[in-house]
Every structure is written in structure tokens, then in C-alpha cells.
Amino acid sequence: MARPSAVYVEAPAKINLYLGVGPLHDDGYHELATVFQAVSLLDQLTALPEDSGVVLEMDEDGEQVPGRAADNLAVKAARAVRQRSKLTSGVRLVLSKSIPVAGGMAGGSADAAAALVACNALWGAGLPSSELAELAADLGSDVPFSLHGGTALGASRGEVLTPVLTTGEFTWVVAASFTTLSTPEVYATYDRLNADRELPAPAVPKALLAALRRGDQAGVGQHLHNDLQAAAIHLRPELDLLLESGIDYGALGAMVSGSGPTCVFLARDAEHGLELAVGLSTTGLCRSARIATGPVVGARVVSEF
Ligand code: C5P
């Protein structure tokens, strides 16, 4: 079969509706009990053939990723596909980012998931989704969910996934910060803030899962929770004001997303989402406030030719 000459992929950001963080294990990772939801804030990746090598190009209009291309998770993902499928082909990855960089929404993981799917299609590697999921888990704790999409429970480091039944569509307002946060630093701060107590094994509340099943937006709003929030606010105290403003504008729930500093707000519906986004934009406390809906599918090929 002829190989495509271009593959266009989209991959979603994630929100942790619940993030319970347990003890730090010897492998340097914390035990998690989390509920992920993929939302319609999408990074776009186009993969084009190259003779050899993996080349990364950033679309200038998108968010810019600092650091060396070789360290980029999308580049590592392309290499992982090449190695697993024993191919020597090259690829040019053209990335256009919408997901805030180092914002706690798994933007780097979305790009890695996008590159796994794109290279698999471009090179005709034919790796089944189970093998892509294995490669994803080696690349980072959130990459398997970026492939999976929808709404899912995450256990262990976050890479062991079970789908969660939900009803209806949730409207989120995603408030990007002027600053970034390093995930390891936020986890280390969490450990410091909890140094005087033994952390219990985390568990997702059944009430949240029941509210998701019923499509009970207010119930979901009530049970949103993030154990890393206090650590993120410790490092970026101004986030507290932003969260309070969202509640003042009637958000059903407000929290720091993952390790932050992006904050997410659950709106009653699309119209309220717009009001909330406009309101938050005028506070001057965030760089942008955008509407996103969830759940949406994981990283997928949108077109190839
Ligand atoms: O898996 P990933 O490379 O995305 O994780 C980045 C960092 O986040 C880890 O090096 C670790 O410091 C922290 N982390 C953690 N526990 C987890 C997931 C991530 O401590 N379950």
C-alpha cells in the first residue's frame, strides 16, 4: 500500500477532575488516583516524510516550547515508534500548539501521543493500539491518557486507565497563566507541605463517578478536587485570587489543573461559559481564558493524503 505523503493529527489537553496524590515510591513517582477528562483544546501535528532523522518545526503562531528539540517528547515518541517497528525512515514534525506549555494540561504528553499516532500512520508501521499504549507509558505518566481520550480513571503513576461513563457535555473555561510551573517542583513542594504526616492511599470519591454518570454538572462541580492545588498556590499565591474570581462569576467548580498553573472552571452551560471566560479575561489575573468542552477523543489521525 502506498505510504501517505502527509499525516495530520490532533491531540487534546486533559483536565484532572479529581487528583488524589498518595505516597512517593522508590521509583520517584507518587501513587495517584485520578479522573482524567480530555477537552477540546487541541495541539495539531503534521508529519511529513524525511530521508532520515527526526526534525521538529514549531508553527510560529502557536505557543512556543522552550528547550532543545531533542528533548521534546514528540521527537522522543517518533524515535520510539521507529525503534519498535525496526524502521529507518525519517520524519518532519510540524507542531502547532494551543495547549498552554508547562501549564498542567499535559501539553507535552498530547504532542507525544500525536507523534506516536502520526508516525505509525506515515511509516505504515502498523503498531496496534496496545503497543502504542506501551510506548506511551514509557514516555510519560500522562501520555497513555492523551492517546486514550474521553474520561478515564488513572491509577498507579496515572498510566493505568479504566474508562468512566459520563453523560452529556461539560463546558470548561481554561485560564492560562502568565507563568509556568515545573511538575517535579510542584510534587516536591507537595511532599514538603505534607512532610509531617503519612499520606493515605488515594481514592476517587464514588459521588464524583455517580455525578459523571448522571451528567449532574453541579454534582461534578462540587466534587472537583486536586491534592496538588495547595502546592501550586504555595508557589504561585496569585492563583488563589483567580480561583475566587471564577466562583464569584458563578462557576460550578474551580481548581488548579494538574500541577498548574493553568486554572479550570466548570460552567453551567455554553452561555455561562462565555460569561465566565469574558469575566475572567477582564480580571487581569490570567493570560487568556478560553472555552473548552469535554469529553473529546484522544490523539487521532484527522486526515492523510
Ligand atoms: O511521568 P512524567 O515524566 O510526566 O513525570 C514528571 C515528573 O512528575 C516526575 O519526574 C515526578 O517528579 C513527578 N510525578 C510524580 N508522580 C506521578 C507522576 C509524576 O511524582 N505519579
Side-chain angles (χ1 to χ4, degrees), residues 161-186:
L161 301 171
T162 313
V164 166
L165 187 66
T166 66
T167 304
E169 185 178 76
F170 296 85
T171 302
W172 300 94
V173 176
V174 175
S177 174
F178 293 106
T179 62
T180 59
L181 273 172
S182 133
T183 303
E185 191 187 355
V186 175

Side-chain angles (χ1 to χ4, degrees), residues 2 12 15 33 42-44 62 65-67 85 88 96 151 158 165 171 181 228 235 237 247 251 276 295-296 301:
I15 290 175
L42 304 171
D43 276 0
Q44 302 166 312
V65 182
S85 51
T88 52
S96 179
T151 307
L165 187 66
T171 302
L181 273 172
L228 294 180
L235 295 166
I247 297 296
L276 198 54
V296 298
V301 174

Side-chain angles (χ1 to χ4, degrees), residues 51 122 173 184:
D51 288 340
L122 184 76
V173 176

Side-chain angles (χ1 to χ4, degrees), residues 47-295:
L48 305 160
E50 281 279 312
D51 288 340
S52 62
V54 177
V55 182
L56 179 68
E57 224 172 76
M58 301 296 299
D59 175 315
E60 280 176 15
D61 294 337
E63 299 242 351
Q64 295 300 303
V65 182
R68 296 184 320 141
D71 298 327
N72 188 282
L73 266 191
V75 171
K76 290 183 177 168
R79 295 212 169 105
V81 172
R82 196 163 61 171
Q83 198 176 14
R84 178 65 69 102
S85 51
K86 299 190 174 60
L87 292 168
T88 52
S89 325
V91 65
R92 174 174 298 269
L93 301 170
V94 184
L95 184 57
S96 179
K97 288 198 65 67
S98 293
I99 307 174
V101 174
M105 299 199 80
S109 302
D111 303 342
L116 288 174
V117 169
C119 292
N120 199 34
L122 184 76
W123 295 331
L127 298 178
S129 47
S130 57
E131 275 193 63
L132 291 181
E134 254 176 53
L135 297 181
D138 287 342
L139 288 162
S141 309
D142 289 337
V143 185
F145 179 72
S146 302
L147 271 182
H148 187 282
T151 307
L153 280 170
S156 187
R157 293 190 280 131
E159 85 287 15
V160 178
L161 301 171
T162 313
V164 166
L165 187 66
T166 66
T167 304
E169 185 178 76
F170 296 85
T171 302
W172 300 94
V173 176
V174 175
S177 174
F178 293 106
T179 62
T180 59
L181 273 172
S182 133
T183 303
E185 191 187 355
V186 175
Y187 273 102
T189 305
Y190 174 77
D191 289 336
R192 263 203 322 279
L193 295 177
N194 289 288
D196 57 349
R197 69 186 188 109
E198 200 156 309
L199 292 171
V204 171
K206 290 204 167 62
L208 172 62
L209 299 176
L212 283 166
R213 219 168 25 240
R214 289 195 305 273
D216 169 6
Q217 312 260 343
V220 170
Q222 251 171 37
H223 290 100
L224 295 177
H225 173 78
N226 179 0
D227 272 349
L228 294 180
Q229 181 159 310
I233 290 176
H234 186 82
L235 295 166
R236 300 279 183 272
E238 65 277 11
L239 296 179
D240 217 9
L241 276 179
L242 179 62
L243 293 172
E244 270 176 34
S245 309
I247 297 296
D248 290 345
Y249 282 112
L252 298 175
M255 73 180 163
V256 170
S257 174
S259 55
T262 306
C263 289
V264 291
F265 303 86
L266 181 59
R268 289 192 300 275
D269 51 33
E271 196 180 329
H272 179 223
L274 199 58
E275 270 171 40
L276 198 54
V278 171
L280 288 168
S281 300
T282 58
T283 61
L285 295 168
C286 56
R287 180 163 60 91
S288 65
R290 279 178 289 174
I291 294 177
T293 57

